[in-house]
């Protein structure tokens, strides 16, 4: 390339960064004024947003207008009106790390292609293993989401139970155990891994949503009697609805007795490992075989940032490594991360987490986690001191489940969404259905949580006609 062409190329990129800044600044201003994007019913999507792809391109002006319009109409997950899922907020430092990952555009499979970024990933994994009290025989990797780190755990459990499986396929009826309250990726992964959905055993939970260990052991015994081969127990740190923590420490004895792999799915609340005050919720974690958590949930990095660590790294190697001479040409396997990965080309999900961790330290991560529990306490306190509410969830959970004035939860949630007031979801446990407020956005203040209730209450008060049947039934 000539000097002139090079210059042009750099100018184009600089120009692009300017455009990016302009759109982002406008979005931030608009979010400040309107924390909810305008509601667009899915049936009107293509008429209300210009999404069509056409043979001819657009003028720069028209293209920018289309882009901005799309950005402005997209749900705003970073504001104090988003409580719908298990993520939220927009941590600036983590965003900076992720933007740089896009600009650098490395692929994490080899040291040759990713250089120091390999180290970025490795120091995170090492530090997490240290926190768990694991030595150098442990290791881990990143995968595109908690569903897939869970998948990796099931594949390792399968291969550890029968070392011939990677070559000969599944030849026995293997069973896996998980609580009724666990994530839906478990049955999906059973289908993917050849274990089969029918071999997933759903263990009942106790009143506070934790796996019932007596029931677990009875189910294992019954399966053995019927000729099945139990291979793993999947435990959950932060169940999807109630945010409950399975009794990790107590399961090891059962695992040892029957030779089972123990995985702790901490996608939602596994980040309590960073908190002195709340790490007791995963007491015994050092005894599991694998542990996964999503930094894009409690830690608040952009999606996705999912980590799995394995106590004995040989399991990672034997289940996921494949030789590829065109790829692994230099450096030791320790630095060629592709050897223990689910993927080949892999985006750099580590840099955003590293940037945040480097900047605030482990103490800073602890503050992020503790603040979410403080916000949850504020919400529970508000509900408990107000007769119009009924509380369904428990202390030491950042999922606050409640009903208001006996109005069906799904009605309130749907109407709040359709009227662009708040994004919040509903869930159920046993026979109750309720609103689930998640205090996972550490950028929210206590006032933001109180404002959530105020917004919901005044919406109900000024729209009594929408809720009429429920409200009159109650009085
Ligand atoms: C969110 C979640 C998952 C799935 O993680 P993704 O990154 O969304 O795939 C798995 N398990 C639990 C408990 C979760 O909360």
């Amino acid at each position: 390339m000539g000097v002139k062409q090079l210059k042009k190329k750099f100018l184009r990129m600089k120009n692009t960064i300017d455009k990016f800044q302009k759109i982002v600044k406008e979005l931030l201003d608009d979010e400040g004024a309107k924390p909810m994007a305008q509601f667009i019913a899915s049936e009107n999507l293509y008429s209300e947003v210009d999404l069509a792809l056409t043979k001819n391109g657009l003028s720069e002006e028209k293209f920018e207008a289309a882009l901005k319009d799309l950005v402005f109409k997209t749900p705003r997950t970073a504001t104090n009106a988003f409580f719908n899922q298990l993520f939220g907020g927009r941590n600036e430092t983590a965003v900076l790390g992720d933007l740089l990952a896009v600009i650098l555009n490395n692929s994490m499979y080899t040291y040759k292609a990713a250089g120091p970024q390999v180290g970025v990933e490795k120091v995170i994994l090492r530090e997490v293993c240290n926190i768990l009290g694991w030595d150098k025989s442990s290791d881990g990797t990143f995968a595109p989401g908690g569903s897939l780190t869970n998948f990796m755990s099931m594949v390792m459990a399968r291969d550890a139970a029968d070392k011939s499986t990677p070559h000969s396929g599944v030849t026995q009826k293997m069973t896996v155990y998980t609580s009724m309250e666990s994530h839906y990726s478990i049955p999906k992964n059973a289908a993917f891994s050849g274990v089969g959905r029918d071999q997933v055993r759903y263990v009942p939970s106790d009143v506070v949503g934790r796996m019932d260990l007596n029931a677990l052991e009875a189910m294992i015994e019954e399966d053995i009697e019927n000729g099945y081969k139990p291979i793993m127990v999947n435990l959950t740190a932060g169940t999807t609805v109630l945010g409950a923590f399975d009794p990790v420490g107590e399961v090891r004895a059962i695992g040892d007795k029957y030779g089972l792999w123990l995985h702790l799915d901490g996608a939602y609340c596994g980040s309590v490992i960073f908190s002195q005050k709340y790490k007791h919720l995963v007491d015994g974690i050092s005894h599991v075989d694998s542990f996964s958590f999503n930094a894009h949930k409690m830690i608040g990095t952009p999606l996705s940032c999912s980590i799995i660590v394995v106590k004995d790294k040989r399991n990672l190697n034997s289940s996921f490594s494949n030789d590829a001479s065109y790829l692994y040409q230099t450096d030791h396997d320790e630095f060629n991360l592709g050897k223990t990965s689910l993927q080949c080309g892999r985006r750099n999900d580590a840099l955003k987490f590293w940037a945040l961790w480097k900047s605030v330290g482990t103490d800073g991560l602890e503050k992020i986690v503790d603040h979410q529990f403080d916000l949850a306490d504020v919400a529970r306190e508000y509900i408990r001191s107000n007769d119009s509410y009924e509380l369904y969830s428990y202390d030491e959970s950042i999922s606050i489940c409640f009903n208001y004035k006996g109005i069906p939860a799904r009605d309130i949630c749907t109407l709040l969404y359709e009227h662009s007031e708040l994004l919040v979801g509903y869930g159920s446990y046993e026979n109750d259905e309720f609103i689930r407020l998640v205090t996972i956005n550490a950028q929210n203040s206590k006032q933001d949580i109180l404002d959530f209730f105020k917004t919901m209450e005044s919406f109900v008060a000024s729209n009594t006609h929408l809720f009429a049947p429920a409200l009159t039934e109650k009085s």
Side-chain angles (χ1 to χ4, degrees):
M1 242 186 263
V3 175
K4 230 173 162 178
Q5 277 168 305
L6 262 177
K7 249 197 173 150
K8 254 190 172 163
K9 192 179 96 174
F10 290 129
L11 276 179
R12 274 206 312 273
M13 194 65 219
K14 284 183 178 166
N15 213 344
T16 301
I17 302 284
D18 289 343
K19 260 185 226 166
F20 173 76
Q21 286 207 20
K22 184 162 165 279
I23 294 179
V24 172
K25 282 180 183 159
E26 287 172 356
L27 174 68
L28 293 177
D29 285 340
D30 205 57
E31 282 186 352
K34 288 178 264 166
M36 289 280 288
Q38 153 205 347
F39 168 72
I40 301 171
S42 54
E43 59 268 31
N44 300 330
L45 174 59
Y46 299 109
S47 58
E48 290 195 24
V49 191
D50 174 17
L51 294 173
L53 300 169
T54 50
K55 181 166 186 302
N56 294 314
L58 298 180
S59 69
E60 198 166 314
E61 221 165 81
K62 281 192 170 155
F63 166 67
E64 276 182 51
L67 202 54
K68 182 180 155 182
D69 187 58
L70 171 62
V71 166
F72 270 54
K73 288 174 175 166
T74 297
R76 302 181 169 179
T77 63
T79 70
N80 62 356
F82 183 84
F83 299 93
N84 201 60
Q85 256 98 24
L86 310 179
F87 70 98
R90 187 186 282 131
N91 182 286
E92 301 78 13
T93 316
V95 166
L96 178 61
D98 210 14
L99 291 174
L100 289 171
V102 171
I103 292 293
L104 291 171
N105 198 34
N106 300 101
S107 180
M108 300 302 277
Y109 39 38
T110 61
Y111 186 78
K112 196 175 177 188
Q117 300 299 328
V118 166
V120 160
E121 185 163 311
K122 282 171 70 76
V123 294
I124 291 173
L125 296 168
R126 178 57 28 220
E127 206 48 50
V128 170
C129 288
N130 287 344
I131 289 170
L132 301 195
W134 289 354
D135 64 17
K136 295 276 183 237
S137 51
S138 58
D139 199 1
T141 186
F142 285 61
S147 299
L148 290 176
T149 46
N150 284 344
F151 174 64
M152 296 184 84
S153 77
M154 198 179 289
V155 170
M156 287 185 286
R158 182 198 70 185
D159 298 346
D162 180 349
K163 297 210 173 350
S164 70
T165 313
H167 294 280
S168 51
V170 177
T171 54
Q172 312 171 57
K173 286 239 178 214
M174 297 175 166
T175 47
V176 305
Y177 304 81
T178 193
S179 98
M180 305 245 243
E181 300 307 306
S182 65
H183 192 256
Y184 72 88
S185 58
I186 310 305
K188 216 163 100 169
N189 291 334
F192 294 169
S193 63
V195 166
R197 288 175 190 271
D198 291 351
Q199 274 68 253
V200 178
R201 302 289 182 257
Y202 296 97
V203 185
S205 302
D206 64 15
V207 285
V208 294
R210 298 156 30 115
M211 185 187 280
D212 174 346
L213 299 189
N214 291 328
L216 168 67
E217 195 161 1
M219 290 167 107
I220 293 172
E221 292 277 1
E222 189 186 330
D223 280 327
I224 292 174
E225 216 155 278
N226 291 326
Y228 290 96
K229 181 174 176 60
I231 62 164
M232 86 181 286
V233 184
N234 175 76
L235 299 157
T236 311
T239 57
T240 313
V241 174
L242 290 181
F245 291 79
D246 284 338
V248 178
E250 296 153 49
V251 182
R252 185 70 264 176
I254 298 178
D256 286 343
K257 185 168 166 190
Y258 301 99
L260 307 177
W261 183 278
L262 296 190
H263 175 65
L264 179 59
D265 172 7
Y268 179 16
C269 295
S271 298
V272 294
I273 59 167
F274 297 109
S275 165
Q276 295 307 313
K277 190 166 172 196
Y278 294 101
K279 68 179 184 188
H280 73 91
L281 293 167
V282 291
D283 264 350
I285 190 170
S286 62
H287 300 298
V288 302
D289 296 292
S290 55
F291 164 62
S292 56
F293 72 104
N294 281 352
H296 69 254
K297 287 185 171 171
M298 281 190 107
I299 300 297
T301 72
L303 275 101
S304 60
C305 189
S306 297
I307 293 166
I308 180 167
V309 286
V310 182
K311 194 176 195 171
D312 184 343
K313 63 183 169 194
R314 286 175 302 187
N315 292 107
L316 257 184
N317 272 294
S318 56
S319 290
F320 297 102
S321 93
N322 226 69
D323 276 330
S325 55
Y326 63 87
L327 191 60
Y328 304 111
Q329 298 176 338
T330 63
D331 307 295
H332 191 261
D333 279 356
E334 282 282 306
F335 284 85
N336 287 331
L337 301 177
K339 288 273 178 167
T340 47
S341 161
L342 198 57
Q343 299 143 269
C344 175
R346 184 160 62 91
R347 101 182 278 287
N348 182 353
D349 283 334
L351 184 55
K352 53 196 160 197
F353 188 17
W354 180 87
L356 172 59
W357 197 340
K358 180 85 174 166
S359 125
V360 301
T362 312
D363 289 349
L365 300 185
E366 173 172 36
K367 287 202 182 91
I368 289 173
V369 170
D370 287 357
H371 183 57
Q372 292 163 42
F373 283 97
D374 288 347
L375 294 180
D377 286 342
V378 169
R380 267 187 299 267
E381 179 55 35
Y382 183 84
I383 290 170
R384 284 187 174 127
S385 59
N386 192 322
D387 287 345
S388 307
Y389 287 86
E390 198 171 344
L391 183 67
Y392 297 88
S393 53
Y394 301 90
D395 288 348
E396 300 200 309
S397 158
I398 61 165
S399 295
I400 297 90
C401 303
F402 65 92
N403 275 320
Y404 177 59
K405 292 193 166 174
I407 304 170
R410 59 179 75 202
D411 291 357
I412 295 199
C413 294
T414 306
L415 287 164
L416 285 169
Y417 165 48
E418 291 176 354
H419 288 76
S420 301
E421 294 281 345
L422 292 165
L423 285 181
V424 64
Y426 58 90
S428 61
Y429 186 63
E430 295 178 341
N431 297 319
D432 297 310
E433 190 165 273
F434 36 65
I435 298 174
R436 182 190 60 166
L437 168 69
V438 187
T439 58
I440 201 159
N441 178 357
Q443 294 185 318
N444 276 336
S445 65
K446 295 180 179 180
Q447 191 57 47
D448 287 317
I449 301 301
L450 297 174
D451 288 347
F452 165 88
F453 292 109
K454 291 282 167 273
T455 304
M456 187 193 70
E457 287 165 13
S458 56
F459 178 75
V460 170
S462 52
N463 291 282
T464 43
H465 57 289
L466 299 174
F467 301 106
L471 287 175
T472 43
E473 236 170 68
K474 180 96 186 187
S475 54

